[in-house]
Structures are given as C-alpha cells and as structure tokens.
Amino acid sequence: MSEVYFIKAQRPRYNKSESLVIKLPELLDKVGLGNILSKDALVAIKIHFGVVGGYRSIRPQFIKQLVDYIKNKETHPFLVDTWGLKHVYDAYFNGLSYATVGAPIIPANGVKEKFYYNVKLEGAYHISEVKVAGNVYDADVLVNFAHGKGHGSCGFGGVIKNLALGCTTKDVRHKLHDLEKLEEGTKKFQEGMVDVARAVLSNKAGKTVHLMWLMDIVEHCDCAPFGLVPIVPDIGILASKDIVALEKAALDLIDQAPPLPWSAAEKYDLKPGENKFLRIHGKDPYIQVYAAEKAGLGNTDYKLIEV
C-alpha cells in the first residue's frame, strides 16, 4: 500500500498549534520532502495561479509555509503555472508574488509558452510525444501542489490534471481537448492526461512530492472567473509520493463527505458515499486514477495516515 498523509481541516481544539497552516511543515516532514532536497537544488512548485474573478484557489499563507520549508533546506524554490506571462498577472491579482510568498513567480513554459522539451513515451495511450514545460523539466525537484475541485472535461481536477494541463504547451492542451470530441471522449481525455503526466514526471524519479489542498471544493476549475459555494465542507490537506494513491484518496474523501447547502450539491441532490463529480459533470473522475495506475504511475491501494 502507498502512504497518503493527511491533516484534517476539522481540528480537535482551539490552539495555534492545531492550525493547518502551522501544521503544514509537519506534513511535509512526514511525506519526506526534506529528504529529497539537496543544497542549491532548484525546486519547481506547480500550483494553479487562478484567474481574475476567481477566489477559491490555494491561499498564499499556505504557499509561503511551503516555500519557507524548502528555503530552510538551502534550496531555491519558484512557483510555476502555464499560459505564459499573462498568467503571472493573474497570480499577482490573487495575492501571489515574491513579496507575499518569498519565491519568484514564473511561467512554466516561458512568456510565450515556447520553452519546452520533447519527451517521447513508449506505450502511450494517445499522445506519444509530449512537450514538457521547460522550467519544470529543468527543475531538480518538483512539488505538485494541486487544489482539488471539479472539472468539466474529466470530472475532477487534482494532482494529475495539475501536471497534465499545467506543465505543457498550448498545442498539447488542444490535443487533449480534441480527444474529448472522439467516441468515448471523456475516457480518452483522461488517458491523454495520464500520458502528459507521465512525460512531466519522466525525469523526476524520486524527486517529486504531491500535495492536495482539499478546501474550497467547488464543482469547476480554478480557471473559472467566478466564485462558487463549496459542495462539501473543507476536508484538509493530503500529501504523498504516489500521485495515483493521492488522487484516489482525495476522490474517496470528497465522495464520503456530506453535501453543503446553497451549493451545486442541492441542485444535484448529492449524498454522502456517491460519486459526486460523476453526478455533476456526467464524467467519471476515477477513469484517470485507474489509467494512471495501469500506466505505472502509482498504486490505487493506499493507507491514509493522519498527521
């Protein structure tokens, strides 16, 4: 079984030491991030910068805690996302800058999305050659910090989607979305995301940690320029070195959670224990989980360890 570490949003007592943002370094220790950081390593932190109008993305103070943890290991972290220079301005609007988080904010693939490395895959589902964002490929260590939420194309946007749509180029993203137009398009899109994630991780063996922010869980992606009422209560933060185990644990926790009133949960009459994003989007998010396991990216059997 793969290990997935978990800090619950629901805390046992009123004390600063119980704050999620204060406990984050303990989670990072448990998952072993410090063990893969060597002096002067370049550390890419892949998050979603959000867009102007949205406000349900990862809060800056959590990102700063992560940055400080990495810098304390005498390494050099930087934040990345795709869409070129334009998305850096989105990051500034959403409170992310060197002044607020202590790390540079740079495009994953250059200001015009033209900086990439071609990675060829054996046994790909649909995309056998992937353009991997250059600033991610060049990093010595990758921290994949995703916000768990719904997604119109694949049901759920988590750690797999954070790499697949955020660490490549515009034309590869278009190839992925073109797969949606085919027969069994949802399945093909999710399998294509696995291809891209495989390519992104191809030179990061033993040098990647995956984190999932299971807070502000809404039905649409952080690229949506509006705010929504979360469909379930805040769950917490997950961490693992296994991208598959983490994705499955996140989906399981969301599906087990009670629905929140005044949200899309009321519209779809969601219940604890059902596949919530399949109900909302008509697309089963577990397809990408099992496709990633089949591709050798990890294990769906996991042990959830509370920190």
Side-chain angles (χ1 to χ4, degrees):
M1 282 191 178
S2 293
E3 295 176 338
V4 177
Y5 296 92
F6 176 37
I7 308 177
K8 282 185 177 179
Q10 187 179 21
R11 305 311 304 152
R13 59 200 173 102
Y14 297 130
N15 192 283
K16 180 180 176 181
S17 66
E18 292 294 336
S19 164
L20 260 69
V21 74
I22 299 300
K23 286 186 73 69
L24 182 58
E26 185 180 347
L27 180 69
L28 301 176
D29 279 337
K30 290 290 187 182
V31 77
L33 176 57
N35 297 333
I36 64 173
L37 297 174
S38 56
K39 186 179 164 98
D40 291 328
L42 299 177
V43 184
I45 302 172
K46 171 60 183 77
I47 63 169
H48 197 302
F49 291 162
V51 295
V52 174
Y55 55 84
R56 293 291 187 183
S57 48
I58 302 171
R59 294 185 180 88
Q61 58 265 50
F62 287 85
I63 297 168
K64 185 178 189 308
Q65 277 285 69
L66 173 59
V67 167
D68 287 348
Y69 180 94
I70 293 168
K71 288 168 75 172
N72 286 338
K73 306 295 183 182
E74 299 184 81
T75 59
H76 307 291
F78 57 96
L79 270 57
V80 293
D81 201 2
T82 191
W83 300 354
L85 184 62
K86 178 259 180 195
H87 214 187
V88 174
Y89 291 116
D90 288 333
Y92 294 158
F93 180 87
N94 287 308
L96 302 176
S97 68
Y98 195 96
T100 59
V101 300
I105 315 291
I106 64 175
N109 46 19
V111 293
K112 290 188 176 182
E113 295 201 77
K114 293 182 179 180
F115 175 39
Y116 60 84
Y117 292 87
N118 280 313
V119 174
K120 296 183 179 180
L121 298 173
E122 294 290 335
Y125 286 109
H126 304 287
I127 304 176
S128 58
E129 187 168 332
V130 177
K131 295 175 180 177
V132 176
N135 288 319
V136 174
Y137 191 92
D138 279 344
D140 301 304
V141 174
L142 172 62
V143 178
N144 176 18
F145 195 6
H147 174 209
K149 69 280 178 189
H151 194 281
S153 296
C154 53
F156 177 68
V159 281
I160 294 174
K161 179 264 175 188
N162 200 41
L163 300 185
L165 293 176
C167 294
T168 185
T169 57
K170 187 182 299 184
D171 55 332
V172 175
R173 292 196 301 274
H174 287 165
K175 283 183 183 179
L176 283 171
H177 286 297
D178 284 343
L179 292 171
E180 292 184 79
K181 303 170 186 174
L182 305 176
E183 186 177 352
E184 294 189 307
T186 297
K187 179 174 182 286
K188 288 183 170 68
F189 177 84
Q190 293 187 59
E191 290 171 342
M193 289 203 308
V194 170
D195 290 335
V196 179
R198 264 186 70 198
V200 172
L201 296 171
S202 63
N203 72 334
K204 296 291 186 294
K207 291 294 182 181
T208 305
V209 162
H210 308 280
L211 305 173
M212 183 88 79
W213 163 272
L214 283 186
M215 317 269 279
D216 292 320
I217 302 165
V218 294
E219 68 268 31
H220 286 298
C221 181
D222 289 347
C223 59
F226 44 79
L228 297 163
V229 175
I231 63 169
V232 296
D234 289 342
I235 294 171
I237 306 173
L238 303 180
S240 182
K241 290 182 178 175
D242 185 329
I243 191 172
V244 177
L246 183 58
E247 193 91 331
K248 185 159 192 302
L251 281 167
D252 289 347
L253 286 166
I254 292 169
D255 288 347
Q256 293 160 13
L260 282 181
W262 301 359
S263 73
E266 284 190 334
K267 175 182 177 182
Y268 292 95
D269 192 26
L270 299 181
K271 303 283 193 304
E274 65 181 335
N275 188 332
K276 291 182 172 65
F277 291 120
L278 175 60
R279 285 286 310 281
I280 293 171
H281 295 294
K283 296 168 182 178
D284 186 357
Y286 286 91
I287 292 172
Q288 64 204 40
V289 174
Y290 290 103
E293 182 178 47
K294 184 178 177 181
L297 287 183
N299 186 5
T300 54
D301 291 327
Y302 65 88
K303 179 181 180 181
L304 197 61
I305 303 169
E306 188 174 344
V307 175

